[in-house]
């Protein structure tokens, strides 16, 4: 995993401005702590920061097709899991390789297939290719959007990077936030394309962008489609098990220590079990996979259920680790460390956004930091709920009947940061949500003969995969890469996603529970207690001292510059007056977002064009 940056201008010789691409690349140092480099051509400059995972000595970037007078240059982030297969195919077509890296496979795949290179790749990736022959830039992002890729127009071209902060290092890009950006952020709809930053865009998941002297063009090379499902239940169970197993095993390759995130839930336990079994098969019966869970020092005594959590994770994670045979560790955090402003600032800086989930972001950041002391790569169970129908909104009649994005129903407006009345009137977020919801449903593919139940469940799954999942992937990428840790997500394998998306809903909950097909895959390789455990979200602390400390941070945040221009002071103060031991999770998240807003404004000092 790495950080990339680039600048193309047809109006100037960018070689005369080498410090610009060097500064852009330097902002990605946390994503790539092992090495860095830049390449300069007349109209294009590419930068790269490397987290070395495969072919430590041979994967240096930016990578050119030849040492002298290169014709094609690549800056690439991610992992292509089928690079061995592609290498063999390319060799059979006359290509020669100098390294073992998947980077070189992507480069030579472009030389062979041009823009169709993305059709041949399996994995998570974001990359830019400058073609000197055609004076042309190609940007490509993986199908599910696991790896981020941002861009903005500049004089005569564009700049791009793994994170917006890379763009802000270019002298033509000023961090600016307008009403459209705040509407995107605080509507919680997770659109892809526009961002909170004026003029800064995302390359769409499954999308590519071309820049040449004729301008900028974008298109999708992949998106979800509706197809008839002809397999019976038993064949579907077998196919899902095959796809999940193949995805997990294919993501094991690394020349650095690898581990698994094991929460004690179904999703992570199945991945951990499959990966541990593959390690024993390939490395011998004594091979042990490291696995990690997170907990808080107060959790065993003070855990109380809420709208997202029904039980304490640690006993289940410990049991799963023992059942599977991993070298399991629980990272126990003192809830008070989540109030440390340096930790919180690091999280907000990594996100380049005021929108997060407070203590859950900070604890995940600290967990990743602890894991990075021992491992460079971790496998995660992210996306299983979206792929297999795990969230409550797939099963709650009220959520299914509601004509809005289902995650907005989980905590209502309690968790949303209330906006200053004049700003709220200007943004008209409710209307924006309604309009976006209608257009989102119009984009869902359907079959002509779908039943009403199947029609609605396909809508819910499409919304979950194309919106809700995007922000979870952003969160995991930003917080892991801020610690120099690569996190892989087997459930984002596009073949698995395509197959599960078209499996009938009756199969997805054939046992009367959520994620039936994944439970079938886990049968025999995960303990029964985990297989039948209700859905539980990422843990949050319940320590009273945390609530008290958070209220104090929020009071201070209200006095920070421009916070009251955005946040509703009266509503926030009413929440501050609530006794700390009576703060509900949604109200607490409201305070978390005020604190994050103040940190975000202080770090980026954006121009506010409201």
């Amino acid at each position: 995993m790495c950080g990339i940056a680039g600048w193309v201008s047809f109006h100037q010789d960018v070689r005369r401005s080498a410090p610009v691409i060097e500064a852009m690349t330097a902002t990605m140092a946390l994503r790539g702590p092992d090495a860095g480099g830049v390449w300069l051509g007349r109209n294009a400059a590419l930068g790269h920061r490397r987290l070395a995972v495969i072919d430590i000595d041979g994967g240096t970037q930016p990578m050119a097709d030849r040492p002298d007078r290169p014709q094609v240059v690549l800056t690439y982030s991610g992992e292509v899991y089928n690079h061995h297969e592609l290498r063999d195919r390319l060799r059979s077509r006359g290509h020669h390789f100098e390294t073992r890296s998947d980077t070189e496979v992507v480069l030579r795949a472009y030389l062979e297939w041009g823009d169709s290179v993305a059709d041949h790749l399996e994995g998570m990736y974001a990359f830019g290719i400058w073609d000197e022959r055609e004076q042309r830039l190609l940007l490509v992002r993986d199908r599910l959007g696991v790896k981020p890729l941002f861009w903005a127009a500049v004089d005569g071209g564009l700049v791009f990077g793994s994170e917006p902060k890379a763009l802000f290092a270019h002298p033509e890009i000023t961090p600016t936030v307008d009403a459209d950006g705040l509407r995107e952020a605080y509507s919680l709809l997770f659109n892809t394309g526009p961002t909170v930053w004026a003029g800064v865009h995302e390359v769409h998941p499954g999308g590519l962008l071309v820049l040449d002297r004729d301008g900028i063009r974008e298109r999708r090379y992949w998106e979800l489609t509706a197809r008839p499902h002809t397999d019976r239940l038993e064949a579907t169970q077998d196919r899902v098990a095959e796809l999940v197993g193949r995805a997990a095993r294919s993501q094991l390759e690394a020349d650095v220590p690898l581990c698994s995130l094991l929460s004690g839930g179904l999703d992570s336990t199945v991945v951990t079990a499959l990966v541990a079994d593959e390690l024993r098969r390939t490395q011998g019966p004594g091979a042990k996979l490291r696995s990690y869970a997170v907990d808080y020092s107060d959790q065993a005594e003070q855990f109380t259920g809420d709208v997202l959590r029904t039980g304490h994770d640690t006993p289940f994670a410990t049991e799963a680790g023992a059942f599977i045979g991993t070298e399991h560790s629980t990272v126990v955090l003192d809830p008070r460390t989540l109030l440390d402003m340096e930790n919180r600032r690091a999280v907000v800086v990594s996100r380049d956004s005021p929108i997060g989930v407070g203590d859950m972001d900070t604890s995940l950041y600290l967990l990743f930091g602890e894991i990075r002391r021992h491992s460079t790569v971790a496998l995660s169970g992210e996306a299983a709920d979206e792929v297999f129908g795990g969230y409550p909104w797939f099963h709650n009649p009220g959520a299914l009947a509601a004509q809005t994005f289902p995650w907005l129903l989980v905590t209502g407006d309690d968790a949303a940061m209330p906006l200053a009345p004049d700003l709220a009137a200007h943004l008209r977020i409710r209307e924006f949500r309604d309009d976006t919801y209608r257009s989102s449903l119009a984009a869902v593919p359907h079959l002509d003969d779908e039943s009403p139940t199947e029609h609605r469940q396909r809508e819910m799954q499409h919304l979950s995969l194309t919106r809700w999942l995007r922000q979870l992937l952003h969160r995991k990428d930003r917080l892991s890469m801020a610690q120099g840790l690569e996190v892989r997500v087997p459930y984002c394998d596009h073949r698995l996603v395509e197959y599960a998306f078209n499996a009938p809903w009756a199969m997805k909950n054939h046992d009367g529970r959520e994620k039936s097909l994944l439970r079938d895959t886990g049968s025999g390789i995960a303990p029964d207690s985990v297989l039948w455990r209700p859905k539980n979200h990422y843990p949050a602390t319940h320590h009273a001292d945390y609530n008290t400390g958070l209220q104090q941070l929020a009071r201070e945040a209200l006095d920070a510059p421009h916070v009251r221009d955005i946040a509703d002071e009266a509503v926030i103060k009413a929440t501050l007056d609530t006794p700390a031991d009576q703060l509900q999770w949604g109200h607490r998240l409201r305070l978390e977002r005020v604190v994050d807003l103040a940190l975000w404004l202080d770090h980026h000092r954006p121009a506010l064009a409201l």
Side-chain angles (χ1 to χ4, degrees):
M1 203 71 70
C2 307
I4 65 174
W7 174 26
V8 174
S9 176
F10 296 113
H11 290 175
Q12 59 182 296
D13 186 341
V14 302
R15 293 173 296 185
R16 297 174 181 171
S17 302
V20 172
I21 189 62
E22 290 168 355
M24 293 174 64
T25 304
T27 66
M28 297 292 97
L30 292 179
R31 296 184 71 92
D34 297 327
V38 300
W39 175 87
L40 288 161
R42 179 179 178 83
N43 297 117
L46 304 181
H48 189 267
R49 290 293 314 187
R50 188 182 186 204
L51 176 65
V53 172
I54 295 175
D55 192 4
I56 307 300
D57 298 324
T60 303
Q61 295 189 55
M63 183 176 285
D65 64 328
R66 62 184 73 174
D68 300 319
R69 302 186 66 183
Q71 300 297 297
V72 175
V73 187
L74 166 69
T75 184
Y76 157 81
S77 171
E79 304 292 344
V80 169
Y81 303 124
N82 65 330
H83 70 99
H84 292 296
E85 171 194 330
L86 290 177
R87 188 187 305 270
D88 290 342
R89 289 175 60 191
L90 291 165
R91 277 180 174 149
S92 71
R93 293 169 178 254
H95 292 268
H96 300 281
F97 289 84
E98 303 294 329
T99 74
R100 294 189 299 108
S101 69
D102 58 334
T103 305
E104 188 177 6
V105 171
V106 174
L107 176 64
R108 303 208 174 277
Y110 172 78
L111 292 170
E112 178 67 29
W113 294 303
D115 290 1
S116 297
V117 57
D119 297 329
H120 299 268
L121 305 180
E122 299 172 6
M124 55 179 189
Y125 46 81
F127 57 85
I129 295 178
W130 173 250
D131 193 324
E132 188 74 14
R133 302 165 302 183
E134 300 184 19
Q135 292 287 286
R136 185 174 182 270
L137 174 71
L138 174 68
L139 300 180
V140 178
R141 191 175 180 197
D142 68 71
R143 294 170 179 84
L144 273 294
V146 181
K147 291 292 99 187
L149 186 53
F150 296 86
W151 66 276
V154 295
D155 180 46
L158 62 76
V159 290
F160 67 89
S162 296
E163 299 177 11
K165 59 176 64 68
L167 281 54
F168 299 149
H170 190 282
E172 293 184 43
I173 305 297
T174 299
T176 301
V177 177
D178 59 16
D180 290 338
L182 288 182
R183 189 180 296 112
E184 289 291 342
Y186 287 105
S187 64
L188 304 180
L189 302 188
F190 315 116
N191 285 313
T192 301
T195 70
V196 66
W197 303 105
V200 175
H201 314 273
E202 280 189 87
V203 175
H204 288 278
L208 58 81
L209 178 151
V210 172
L211 167 72
D212 57 21
R213 294 182 185 276
D214 293 327
I216 296 172
R217 299 176 298 283
E218 293 185 88
R219 70 171 177 86
R220 300 284 185 91
Y221 67 89
W222 181 88
E223 53 191 340
L224 287 168
T225 57
R227 302 171 187 169
H229 186 85
T230 57
D231 292 343
R232 295 182 180 274
L233 176 58
E234 184 176 354
T236 300
Q237 294 167 318
D238 291 343
R239 180 60 174 156
V240 167
E242 175 191 348
L243 288 169
V244 172
R246 185 179 187 274
R249 289 188 292 270
S250 72
Q251 299 187 22
L252 262 177
E253 183 177 6
D255 295 334
V256 291
L258 177 145
C259 69
S260 176
L261 305 179
L262 179 58
S263 69
L266 175 63
D267 314 343
S268 63
T269 301
V270 169
V271 166
T272 300
L274 291 168
V275 169
D277 182 67
E278 181 68 6
L279 280 181
R280 288 189 287 264
R281 188 186 70 81
T282 57
Q283 298 181 15
K288 270 189 176 286
L289 174 70
R290 283 181 178 269
S291 61
Y292 291 91
V294 68
D295 201 358
Y296 305 97
S297 56
D298 66 307
Q299 201 81 327
E301 296 79 22
Q302 300 194 28
F303 176 84
T304 53
D306 59 30
V307 68
L308 298 178
R309 300 163 194 88
T310 59
H312 185 200
D313 280 343
T314 294
F316 293 94
T318 302
E319 181 185 1
F323 185 93
I324 296 166
T326 68
E327 185 179 332
H328 186 69
S329 300
T330 301
V331 176
V332 180
L333 302 175
D334 183 333
R336 287 172 282 263
T337 64
L338 306 181
L339 297 168
D340 183 281
M341 289 302 283
E342 290 308 307
N343 290 333
R344 298 186 75 100
R345 182 178 295 274
V347 168
V348 172
V349 170
S350 74
R351 287 198 316 248
D352 288 324
S353 167
I355 298 298
V357 283
D359 65 306
M360 292 187 286
D361 281 352
T362 308
S363 67
L364 189 61
Y365 171 79
L366 294 173
L367 169 65
F368 287 153
E370 185 62 28
I371 291 173
R372 185 61 175 88
R373 295 174 55 197
H374 310 283
S375 299
T376 308
V377 176
L379 273 72
S380 170
E382 213 75 72
D385 287 303
E386 291 80 4
V387 171
F388 293 107
Y391 290 119
W393 56 69
F394 288 103
H395 308 273
N396 184 302
L400 290 168
Q403 293 303 299
T404 190
F405 295 97
W407 49 89
L408 298 177
L409 303 172
V410 175
T411 57
D413 289 332
D414 288 347
M417 193 193 73
L419 299 174
D422 289 347
L423 178 62
H426 179 54
L427 297 187
R428 300 163 67 181
I429 282 181
R430 187 176 298 277
E431 292 179 39
F432 179 66
R433 285 173 170 172
D434 291 344
D435 291 344
T436 305
Y437 181 72
R438 286 190 290 269
S439 63
S440 298
L441 292 191
V444 178
H446 291 284
L447 298 176
D448 293 338
D449 58 350
E450 286 179 353
S451 68
T453 295
E454 197 66 38
H455 188 93
R456 183 55 173 159
Q457 290 292 355
R458 194 184 288 276
E459 289 177 340
M460 298 295 261
Q461 190 169 18
H462 195 273
L463 293 174
S464 300
L465 285 165
T466 61
R467 289 181 175 273
W468 180 253
L469 177 61
R470 302 269 170 87
Q471 56 91 21
L472 295 179
L473 294 175
H474 265 304
R475 172 178 180 252
K476 191 142 283 185
D477 172 85
R478 299 301 189 82
L479 299 180
S480 63
M481 294 307 294
Q483 297 282 19
L485 178 72
E486 173 177 301
V487 175
R488 300 176 180 177
V489 281
Y491 293 118
C492 284
D493 181 281
H494 72 278
R495 292 154 304 184
L496 171 62
V497 173
E498 289 171 346
Y499 187 80
F501 181 67
N502 286 294
W505 179 249
M507 293 186 183
K508 291 192 181 87
N509 75 332
H510 68 80
D511 58 10
R513 290 284 303 276
E514 73 285 349
K515 295 184 284 197
S516 305
L517 293 173
L518 183 59
R519 187 174 297 104
D520 296 334
T521 297
S523 180
I525 63 174
D528 285 346
S529 61
V530 171
L531 286 177
W532 295 98
R533 184 187 178 200
K535 165 69 184 172
N536 219 48
H537 287 261
Y538 185 88
T541 180
H542 297 270
H543 201 291
D545 288 353
Y546 180 80
N547 289 353
T548 301
L550 176 63
Q551 287 178 314
Q552 181 57 37
L553 292 182
R555 285 189 184 92
E556 296 168 2
L558 272 180
D559 293 329
H562 301 298
V563 168
R564 289 177 177 157
D565 296 336
I566 298 173
D568 188 328
E569 179 183 6
V571 176
I572 297 300
K573 283 187 172 180
T575 309
L576 292 174
D577 290 338
T578 303
D581 61 354
Q582 295 178 26
L583 272 184
Q584 298 298 311
W585 178 81
H587 290 115
R588 195 170 84 175
L589 184 55
R590 174 186 292 174
L591 299 183
E592 304 270 15
R593 287 181 168 153
V594 174
V595 176
D596 286 356
L597 172 63
L599 288 168
W600 176 71
L601 290 168
D602 179 67
H603 176 76
H604 284 290
R605 305 293 173 93
L608 296 177
L610 305 180

